Amino acid sequence: MAGKLAIDNGILEFEVNGGELLRFNPSDPNVYHRFSELAVELPKLEEDFRKQAETLDEKDAAGMLALMNAFDRALKEKLAQVFGEENDFDRILGGVNLLAVGRNGQRLISNVLEALQPLLEEGVKRHRQHAAAEAVAEAKARRTSRAK
C-alpha cells in the first residue's frame, strides 16, 4: 500500500458566476507568465479571426458560426494551458462562447482576462514579498555566521 503525501501547492478555488470552480495558484510565476503571453497573443488571434471572417460570404451563417466555434475552442484550450488542464473553461463559463458580448459591451474573453488579472497581480506581489523575506533571512543568517 502506498503512503500518502500532502503538499501545499497554493492552489486556490474561485467560484465563477455562482457556478463552477476555477482552480489555480495565483502566486505561481509560471501561471502569470503564461497569462501574460496570452494577453500579448490575443490581439493577433482576434485579428486572425477578423481576417478569416472577412473571407466568408455575408450570407454564410453556418460558416461564421463554425469559425466562431473554432475560435472559442482554441481560446478555451489556451486558457486551460494557462490555468491548468483540469480547468474546463467551457464548463466553467457555462458553455458561453468567448466571442459573445457581455452586458458591458465587451467580448467575454476580455471580461475573463480582466477579472483574472487582479488575482494574478496580487499573487505575483505575494510571491515577490515571500522571495524578498527569504533573501533578507538568508542575508541575516550569513551575517550571523560571519560574526561567529
Side-chain angles (χ1 to χ4, degrees), residues 22 76 79-80 83-84 87-95 112 116:
L22 171 62
K76 286 175 179 168
L79 286 170
F83 294 99
N87 291 300
D88 178 348
F89 278 87
D90 196 53
R91 183 180 42 76
I92 290 169
L93 298 171
V112 168
L116 291 167

Side-chain angles (χ1 to χ4, degrees), residues 38 74-84 87 89 93 98 109 112-113 116:
L38 177 59
L75 281 176
K76 286 175 179 168
E77 286 174 15
K78 288 187 179 296
L79 286 170
Q81 290 167 2
V82 169
F83 294 99
N87 291 300
F89 278 87
L93 298 171
L98 287 167
I109 184 61
V112 168
L113 297 179
L116 291 167

Side-chain angles (χ1 to χ4, degrees), residues 89-144:
F89 278 87
D90 196 53
R91 183 180 42 76
I92 290 169
L93 298 171
V96 177
N97 190 300
L98 287 167
L99 293 176
V101 176
R103 289 184 299 249
N104 63 357
Q106 293 191 59
R107 291 192 187 273
L108 183 56
I109 184 61
S110 296
N111 290 339
V112 168
L113 297 179
E114 285 178 18
L116 291 167
Q117 186 168 353
L119 296 173
L120 290 165
E121 288 174 352
E122 179 60 32
V124 167
K125 181 179 172 184
R126 277 196 332 262
H127 174 75
R128 286 182 184 150
Q129 289 170 343
H130 180 72
E134 282 183 340
V136 167
E138 187 177 310
K140 284 181 182 179
R142 280 195 303 264
R143 276 195 305 269
T144 301

